[in-house]
Amino acid sequence: MSDTMSGNQNMKFLYAGIAIALLISVLAPFLASSDPDGLESAAMDIVDEAKLTAMEEVAPAVESPMPDYAIEGMGKTGEVAAIVAGTLIVLVIGFAFGKLTKK
């Protein structure tokens, strides 16, 4: 198999992965459960609920630009936009890291 053929297959695989990641990003707000997720549920099993609530009310060291995976006031559209933006940011960071560490 030639390098060009392998390179084309790698690019197809990359584009398919990006498309799948963006599809999941768009669908996630509609498929996610409104019940506490695994991390919150596990924390409730370990820590008293009043203490957990007090911990949630402590101001974070750095404010999140899109808290709770949403853009405030935009409903589901804001959730989709926030998750898609986060996905693209992670992809760009991963791509940049890959380029910087490439031999």
Side-chain angles (χ1 to χ4, degrees):
M1 183 181 300
S2 72
D3 287 341
T4 305
M5 181 108 170
S6 178
N8 286 339
Q9 288 178 338
N10 285 342
M11 292 307 293
K12 287 179 183 175
F13 185 74
L14 175 68
Y15 292 140
I18 291 171
I20 291 170
L22 291 175
L23 178 65
I24 291 171
S25 300
V26 170
L27 296 177
F30 304 102
L31 301 175
S33 172
S34 60
D35 293 331
D37 66 5
L39 181 60
E40 290 178 359
S41 179
M44 283 187 216
D45 290 343
I46 296 171
V47 179
D48 181 31
E49 187 172 339
K51 188 174 181 178
L52 187 62
T53 302
M55 291 169 61
E56 289 178 347
E57 293 176 1
V58 173
V62 177
E63 289 290 329
S64 171
M66 294 179 267
D68 293 330
Y69 311 105
I71 298 173
E72 196 170 318
M74 293 182 64
K76 288 290 184 191
T77 303
E79 292 178 21
V80 169
I83 296 173
V84 168
T87 300
L88 291 174
I89 290 168
V90 168
L91 289 172
V92 168
I93 290 170
F95 181 77
F97 186 74
K99 285 289 185 185
L100 290 173
T101 58
K102 186 177 178 183
K103 291 181 182 177

